[in-house]
Amino acid sequence: MAAAPPQLGQARIEQDVLEVIRALLAELGSGQAARNISLTSALERDLGLGSLERVELLVRLEKRFDRRLPDTLAQNAETPADWVRALSVGQAARRPRERYRVEQPAREAPPAPDSARTWVEVLRHHAALEPDRVQIHLLEGDSGQDISYGKLLEKASSVAVALRERGLAPNQTVAIMLPTSSDFFYAFFGVMLAGGVAVPIYPPARPDKIEEYVERQVKILRNAEVRFLISFDRARAVSKLMSLGLPSLLGVTSVAELELIAQEGGSRLRSSDVQPADIAFIQYTSGSTGDPKGVVLTQANVLANVRGIGWSVKFRPDDAVVTWLPLYHDMGLIGSWLFSVYHGAPITVLSPVDFLSRPERWLWALHDSGGTLCPAPNFAYELCARKIRDEALQGLDLSRWRVAINAGEAVLPETLARFAQRFEPYGFHREAFVPCYGLAESSVALTFPAIDRAPVIDTIERDTFAHGGRAIAVNGARRDGPEVLESTNGSSPDAAEGTADDSRVIRFVANGAPLPGHEVRLVDENGRAAGERVQARILFRGPSRTPGYYRNPEATAAVIDAAGWMDSGDLGYWARGELFVTGRAKDLIIKAGHNIVPQAIEAAAAEVKGVRRGCVAAFGSRDPQSGTEKVIVVAETRESGHEERKRIESEITRRAGAAAAPPDQVILVPPHSIPKTSSGKIRRNETRRLFEERRLGGAARSPAIQMASLAFGNAGAWAVKAGRGLQLATYRAYTSIIRSAILALTSSLVAGLPGSRRKARLARASARWLLRLTGAPVRIEGASGLSGDGPVLLVANRAGPLDALVLAATLPVPFVLADSGEVAFMPHPARSLLQHLVIGPVPDAVEPAGGRLRDRIRHTLKAGHSVLVLPDNAATGPAAFSRFRLDAFHAAVLTSRPIVPVAVRGTAHVLDPRHHGVDHNATITIGRPIDPGSCSERELVDLRDRVRSEIAELCR
């Protein structure tokens, strides 16, 4: 078709756009949709054009009009009218794309921080070593930006400061609902630096699935008990809807808002005591087999995994990583980005939308960056092999790509063959393929094959495998022993193409051996070790293994035994020291004693003309009459004609029977009827549920109707939230007035009273009334520890800026403060009020004037007054790091007065009107008195450490 002239009228553009879409629909077999198309037709709901079909439409329209359209148009356009508007604006001719120039660091990566125990240490190590070293090349359409280690730490620190200012406590969860952007990187490490736990979730992408999205994410965030949701502007409406169903949520925010809070507050990042056993983040499983579960991954888990991956791929100091994988997914987050952070390798990042819009961008990113390491799922290699036009690859060089990881879903031999054959002319080496196996419960990776070899493909007898689970090799292998491992055509995937329709065999790709320090064993239904080439359940353990599922002890106990072995839920077999993964145990269809792998049926059905590739689900459904399972195949198609649909059903039955087993029922449904996970996997259990409830293929509702439904369903929550908001605002104003009035009034009264005892008594009474009138409850535990006679030395940690006031109001014994420094951290006028509780000078003391701290405390204890000692440092970290001066302990020894440890928790925002209504769980725990004995000055250090340890234990 000839190119259109440079300038076209509106009517001509509309006519040509509809013509191009009709032609595409006709080729896809959607004749009826092609006939009924209009400018207002919904691309997905009415025409069945998914993301990949719209990429094809983008390319065709650019060629037809000789113009370059925005890449985001393929994913954002909802009707043909949207394409018309884009073509009507600026009718400049199409120009060759000017790619963002990627400049790699001049020096090779420094040695990885092997001694680091946490990811906070890893980031700080690299930022201190080479702050200007580029860590991330972020590609954004035709532009991009570079993010150095120093910038990453600086921005993440601002996020951390703001989260703490807004009330995030250690080990509380923060959901990160962001697309691939610089904000994601800052938010992820910001949560970690704040001592919180990140919960990455995928952002809303498809308007037609918004109702399902909100319902699913709310379930996840409820389970995680998130305190904050970090979102972005375009998802603001969805974020508000989600927040209605999250009682634990303190607020919805953005990275920009958090940076502004940090900037206005002027606070510096307080150190967070992150430990190897602390949760680094929670990876919610994609849910292809059931409700999503939160996989807990500790700092140590993730570090062990990236170290194991580095060993397996033989990391080199000049390696460069490239990824388009979603950052909320383990392979993108851990296997790509955190791997590069740890090893000091630069990473070039493009968004999944950019990849899906123009798959060649992934390969050009490898070319431009000199990329050597890159993971991707099987479908990405298949998409590149089939969909990229030759003219988009002119000048491409993939010769530096030495590790092409294929993981995350079943690795198909045919895909390996197609990709290698297509891209070997551009420098790709088939030895670069690394088909490996992993799962979220093992952080991301579990087994790796040897690198620098072509993939090993095992061709086995289908019937023997289906009946008894034994993997007997064919294709020239000995038939008398299961130990022989044959690789097709010298480990080359080429031969797989020629026998793809052979009904006697089934092929699996070798996934290698476990990472260093990890173990894998295969067991039968009775827990006994399975033999060589016998399919069984895959169990594993090692330093990357999750401690369990978040707030789900039942699910954890169901898969982890006393010896630490975890059931992966997957099936596989061993052959000559390598693992071959055959599928999910829950997905296996068992009919009349036959074990049927659903993936084999799905792959066969997908080859039928008229069936949408990647949109087939095979599963078993219990048949009460026969007492066994029926094999059900659900396939998406655009065909509407009766005869054509009968042909498709017949062809699926024939091909599925040849590949595995003939289905009992074939169901054809419209496009986008089969539910999928966020990573694109078929949700077979959900498809089965819809089938059994007879709800498959229902008409999709428009995004507007779905949003209206969600809003109507949450009307009650809106009303409750609005009422609570008004109540909270009123009460915050009240508490602010009460606090200011009481503190100002009593400060003036105390100043005018004669005698230090009266002033101290009024100051303590003022503190008690302040807590009562503002509704700031503080729980006291262990008060019986202060029931003895005589004064004591009270030693407490700091948990908030007003701890001296809180203790004055709550402790059952009167006391004086050891030093004016005890109230130095407090805001005015509380500081003025409590200044009257500070210990007085020693009479007649000359050097220094008023006496040393030890002498003032000793004099006060002898006079019969208890003394409170607080640390010299502010409330910045755990009680175990409190800095206490030895003078107070020496005074207790000299007067033989007991030392009482006091643990303060949850007081960070007491009396702060901005945080009223938040459950602070403020608690004062009084420990047992400690007799100081008659220790020497050298032994004072041991006494101080003993008291500090006791406070830390009480805090736990």
Side-chain angles (χ1 to χ4, degrees):
M1 185 178 293
Q7 298 293 329
L8 294 174
Q10 180 77 9
R12 176 66 185 278
I13 294 175
E14 293 175 358
Q15 176 185 337
D16 287 0
V17 166
L18 292 177
E19 182 182 336
V20 170
I21 297 177
R22 282 194 193 96
L24 176 60
L25 290 170
E27 291 179 21
L28 294 172
S30 300
Q32 185 174 352
R35 289 189 294 272
N36 297 332
I37 186 174
S38 70
L39 289 172
T40 58
S41 299
L43 295 176
E44 292 209 32
R45 187 180 70 251
D46 300 331
L47 307 181
L49 296 178
S51 57
L52 297 184
E53 291 87 3
R54 286 187 285 177
V55 171
E56 179 73 19
L57 180 58
L58 176 75
V59 173
R60 293 189 182 200
L61 286 172
E62 284 188 338
K63 188 174 182 180
R64 172 69 181 85
F65 289 89
D66 194 28
R67 299 197 185 100
R68 184 172 182 84
L69 295 169
D71 296 332
T72 55
L73 191 61
Q75 305 305 318
N76 296 336
E78 296 183 3
T79 66
D82 293 332
W83 295 91
V84 171
R85 278 190 289 273
L87 286 162
S88 300
V89 177
Q91 299 189 13
R94 182 171 46 163
R95 297 189 184 93
R97 175 178 169 239
E98 295 181 3
R99 298 188 303 275
Y100 182 74
R101 185 174 180 181
V102 176
E103 294 188 8
Q104 299 292 24
R107 288 183 291 180
E108 292 183 342
D114 292 336
S115 61
R117 303 179 309 146
T118 69
W119 284 98
V120 170
E121 293 177 20
V122 170
L123 178 58
R124 286 181 169 153
H125 166 87
H126 283 296
L129 193 65
E130 288 189 65
D132 296 328
R133 183 180 180 85
V134 174
Q135 205 285 299
I136 302 164
H137 301 287
L138 181 60
L139 306 184
E140 299 168 315
D142 292 336
S143 62
Q145 62 171 306
D146 293 345
I147 302 173
S148 66
Y149 278 102
K151 184 177 181 180
L152 179 57
L153 178 58
E154 177 190 354
K155 294 282 192 178
S157 297
S158 295
V159 171
V161 166
L163 285 172
R164 285 189 170 185
E165 285 290 318
R166 292 196 59 180
L168 181 70
N171 300 315
Q172 289 184 336
T173 52
V174 178
I176 302 176
M177 189 181 75
L178 295 170
T180 297
S181 61
S182 57
D183 282 356
F184 184 96
F185 305 116
Y186 305 147
F188 184 84
F189 266 115
V191 172
M192 198 177 288
L193 287 167
V197 177
V199 182
I201 62 173
Y202 66 98
R206 292 182 55 178
D208 63 318
K209 298 288 185 180
I210 198 67
E211 198 169 8
E212 177 187 339
Y213 172 84
V214 170
E215 291 174 355
R216 186 169 181 79
Q217 299 311 309
V218 166
K219 286 181 181 178
I220 288 175
L221 300 184
R222 276 181 184 166
N223 177 257
E225 292 187 324
V226 294
R227 304 297 276 168
F228 290 96
L229 171 61
I230 301 178
S231 183
F232 58 111
D233 287 341
R234 285 189 290 116
R236 182 70 65 177
V238 176
S239 301
K240 288 183 177 179
L241 278 173
M242 290 168 58
S243 68
L244 295 173
L246 302 173
S248 64
L249 195 69
L250 292 181
V252 177
T253 186
S254 66
V255 168
E257 289 175 359
L258 292 171
E259 286 186 305
L260 186 61
I261 290 171
Q263 193 175 28
E264 291 177 346
S267 302
R268 298 186 63 185
L269 178 63
R270 305 192 301 268
S271 60
S272 55
D273 181 35
V274 180
Q275 297 296 315
D278 289 345
I279 303 175
F281 62 96
I282 302 173
Q283 175 74 59
Y284 275 84
T285 58
S286 55
S288 60
T289 60
D291 289 334
K293 296 188 290 287
V295 178
V296 171
L297 294 176
T298 67
Q299 299 278 335
N301 287 155
V302 185
L303 278 171
N305 207 249
V306 298
R307 284 166 175 154
I309 296 172
W311 181 89
S312 298
V313 301
K314 299 179 182 177
F315 179 82
R316 302 171 183 173
D318 63 344
D319 273 330
V321 184
V322 176
T323 186
W324 57 264
L325 295 169
L327 294 169
Y328 54 79
H329 194 268
D330 50 14
M331 197 154 66
L333 179 59
I334 305 173
S336 301
W337 178 45
L338 291 180
F339 172 87
S340 72
V341 170
Y342 177 80
H343 288 285
I347 182 171
T348 299
V349 179
L350 61 157
S351 77
V353 172
D354 279 347
F355 166 70
L356 289 173
S357 298
R358 302 183 190 274
E360 64 269 21
R361 282 195 160 179
W362 174 34
L363 305 182
W364 280 109
L366 282 155
H367 170 102
D368 293 338
S369 66
T372 59
L373 306 175
C374 186
N378 191 84
F379 92 87
Y381 295 98
E382 183 72 31
L383 182 63
C384 289
R386 289 180 178 270
K387 293 294 184 181
I388 300 177
R389 299 173 183 270
D390 289 339
E391 55 264 31
L393 300 174
Q394 293 178 10
L396 180 70
D397 182 6
L398 300 177
S399 60
R400 279 182 51 83
W401 193 3
R402 69 178 191 88
V403 177
I405 292 174
N406 188 330
E409 62 182 0
V411 180
L412 302 182
E414 297 81 5
T415 298
L416 300 177
R418 276 191 283 269
F419 188 90
Q421 184 177 4
R422 176 81 194 276
F423 293 102
E424 277 178 335
Y426 300 95
F428 181 77
H429 308 286
R430 67 184 61 213
E431 291 79 14
F433 273 131
V434 181
C436 51
Y437 167 65
L439 63 166
E441 286 82 353
S442 181
S443 296
V444 61
L446 181 56
T447 68
F448 261 81
I451 63 171
D452 301 324
R453 75 168 194 194
V456 171
I457 297 170
D458 196 25
T459 305
I460 63 174
E461 296 177 0
R462 183 183 301 278
D463 289 344
T464 307
F465 185 72
H467 282 81
R470 298 177 63 226
I472 305 299
V474 296
N475 256 10
R478 291 202 341 250
R479 297 299 186 98
D480 58 343
E483 76 284 353
V484 177
L485 175 67
E486 285 293 326
S487 58
T488 304
N489 194 20
S491 296
S492 165
D494 281 343
E497 281 286 319
T499 56
D501 290 330
D502 190 340
S503 61
R504 300 180 299 105
V505 301
I506 188 169
R507 295 174 182 81
F508 295 108
V509 180
N511 295 124
L515 297 177
H518 296 70
E519 300 173 85
V520 172
R521 62 191 292 243
L522 274 67
V523 300
D524 61 20
E525 294 178 356
N526 298 315
R528 294 189 296 264
E532 182 89 347
R533 287 188 169 276
V534 176
Q535 179 177 251
R537 298 182 75 95
I538 300 173
L539 274 58
F540 72 97
R541 65 183 179 184
S544 298
R545 197 217 73 196
T546 175
Y549 299 111
Y550 192 66
R551 296 181 63 236
N552 198 338
E554 296 82 7
T556 301
V559 293
I560 300 179
D561 66 18
W565 290 101
M566 185 170 197
D567 190 339
S568 68
D570 291 322
L571 300 172
Y573 63 89
W574 287 114
R576 289 191 176 179
E578 295 203 63
L579 178 67
F580 290 80
V581 180
T582 57
R584 295 285 297 170
K586 289 183 179 180
D587 290 339
L588 193 68
I589 305 169
I590 303 175
K591 180 179 181 180
H594 289 66
N595 293 329
I596 302 168
V597 179
Q599 290 88 346
I601 294 178
E602 291 165 357
E607 297 296 328
V608 175
K609 182 181 178 182
V611 172
R612 299 186 73 219
R613 181 172 292 274
C615 299
V616 181
F619 53 86
S621 180
R622 177 68 60 182
D623 183 0
Q625 294 182 347
S626 63
T628 186
E629 286 192 319
K630 294 191 299 183
V631 179
I632 310 297
V633 176
V634 180
E636 292 184 2
T637 181
R638 296 182 178 84
E639 296 293 346
S640 57
H642 178 69
E643 292 301 321
E644 187 63 15
R645 290 173 71 89
K646 283 183 63 177
R647 179 196 64 80
I648 293 174
E649 292 176 5
S650 176
E651 187 69 9
I652 289 176
T653 301
R654 185 186 69 80
R655 286 182 177 251
D664 296 282
Q665 189 174 354
V666 175
I667 302 171
L668 302 183
V669 294
H672 314 298
S673 297
I674 296 176
K676 294 184 179 181
T677 69
S678 60
S679 56
K681 296 177 185 176
I682 296 293
R683 291 168 61 188
R684 297 185 183 89
N685 277 358
E686 179 67 9
T687 308
R688 178 194 294 113
R689 185 181 68 80
L690 293 174
F691 163 75
E692 292 174 347
E693 294 177 359
R694 300 186 179 183
R695 294 198 295 122
L696 265 175
R701 296 190 294 176
S702 70
I705 292 177
Q706 292 187 53
M707 289 292 285
S709 175
L710 286 169
F712 181 77
N714 286 286
W718 280 110
V720 171
K721 186 174 183 179
R724 286 177 178 172
L726 179 61
Q727 181 184 23
L728 189 57
T730 303
Y731 208 85
R732 282 177 175 172
Y734 162 77
T735 54
S736 181
I737 294 170
I738 289 293
R739 185 182 68 165
S740 300
I742 289 180
L743 289 175
L745 177 63
T746 52
S747 294
S748 301
L749 290 174
V750 168
L753 282 176
S756 58
R757 289 198 176 189
R758 291 181 179 178
K759 292 181 178 181
R761 193 178 300 119
L762 182 56
R764 288 192 292 271
S766 173
R768 283 194 295 272
W769 277 107
L770 186 59
L771 291 187
R772 289 176 185 173
L773 291 176
T774 56
V778 179
R779 190 169 67 254
I780 297 289
E781 297 177 347
S784 59
L786 292 176
S787 59
D789 297 328
V792 296
L793 182 71
L794 300 158
V795 181
N797 65 297
R798 289 187 190 275
L802 295 175
D803 284 341
L805 186 144
V806 172
L807 290 167
T810 55
L811 286 180
V813 296
F815 62 81
V816 291
L817 294 166
D819 188 19
S820 59
E822 311 286 15
V823 296
F825 301 105
M826 300 180 64
H828 184 81
R831 183 168 61 249
S832 301
L833 175 67
L834 292 187
Q835 195 68 42
H836 301 288
L837 286 180
V838 177
I839 199 170
V842 178
D844 303 325
V846 179
E847 295 182 359
R852 292 182 297 173
L853 178 62
R854 180 195 64 187
D855 298 327
R856 295 201 302 272
I857 296 176
R858 181 177 63 171
H859 178 79
T860 304
L861 290 172
K862 281 187 173 182
H865 303 295
S866 295
V867 178
L868 172 65
V869 176
L870 292 167
D872 285 346
N873 55 303
T876 57
F881 296 136
S882 298
R883 296 196 300 269
F884 295 107
R885 294 166 64 180
L886 291 176
D887 301 72
F889 299 92
H890 196 184
V893 171
L894 294 175
T895 56
S896 300
R897 299 312 306 164
I899 302 172
V900 178
V902 179
V904 183
R905 292 173 292 166
T907 59
H909 301 290
V910 167
L911 298 181
D912 187 344
R914 295 175 302 172
H915 295 87
H916 180 77
V918 178
D919 184 9
H920 302 292
N921 293 318
T923 306
I924 309 297
T925 305
I926 301 168
R928 295 180 180 179
I930 297 174
D931 184 0
S934 55
C935 57
S936 65
E937 290 191 12
R938 288 188 177 183
E939 293 170 327
L940 286 175
V941 175
D942 293 334
L943 176 61
R944 179 188 63 186
D945 292 345
R946 177 186 171 191
V947 174
R948 184 163 53 195
S949 297
E950 181 67 21
I951 294 173
E953 185 62 32
L954 291 172
C955 283
R956 280 196 289 272

